[in-house]
Amino acid sequence: AGVVPPTAVVQYGKAAGFAGCNRYTGPITEAAPGTVKIGELAVTRKACDSAANALEAVFLDRMRATTSYSFQAGRLLLLAPRDDEPPRSLLFSR
């Protein structure tokens, strides 16, 4: 409650948006359809409450681990694999 959800804009070889507390930006490349690599993310350093910080930590970890994407009902789905477990995901809507 009271936490603003993260956002992502992907264009011109960059991913950028709001991570839950701070803004971020970084390079993104598509090696093949459905496969992406997100490079080092630059993140601002604003102080936020613990709920926003926790959300941001999870979001940024998943962004950094993302290796593939797809679209589900017009929404962007980013997938971050895990050993012997289902991948972690981030689902964005417009």
Side-chain angles (χ1 to χ4, degrees):
V3 177
V4 178
T7 64
V9 174
V10 178
Q11 63 181 10
Y12 308 117
K14 290 189 177 189
F18 177 72
C21 175
N22 292 281
R23 301 208 53 80
Y24 70 92
T25 186
I28 185 169
T29 56
E30 180 182 31
T35 303
V36 294
K37 167 125 177 73
I38 298 175
E40 187 65 33
L41 296 175
V43 182
T44 59
R45 295 182 179 210
K46 179 180 161 187
C48 294
D49 64 34
S50 60
N53 286 333
L55 173 64
E56 180 171 280
V58 170
F59 176 79
L60 291 174
D61 282 346
R62 290 186 187 182
M63 285 291 286
R64 290 177 178 120
T66 294
T67 59
S68 62
Y69 72 91
S70 66
F71 292 95
Q72 289 187 349
R75 299 182 296 173
L76 174 64
L77 177 65
L78 299 179
L79 296 169
R82 297 187 296 177
D83 294 334
D84 300 325
E85 295 182 42
R88 292 183 175 140
S89 63
L90 295 167
L91 184 61
F92 297 93
S93 60
R94 290 191 180 259

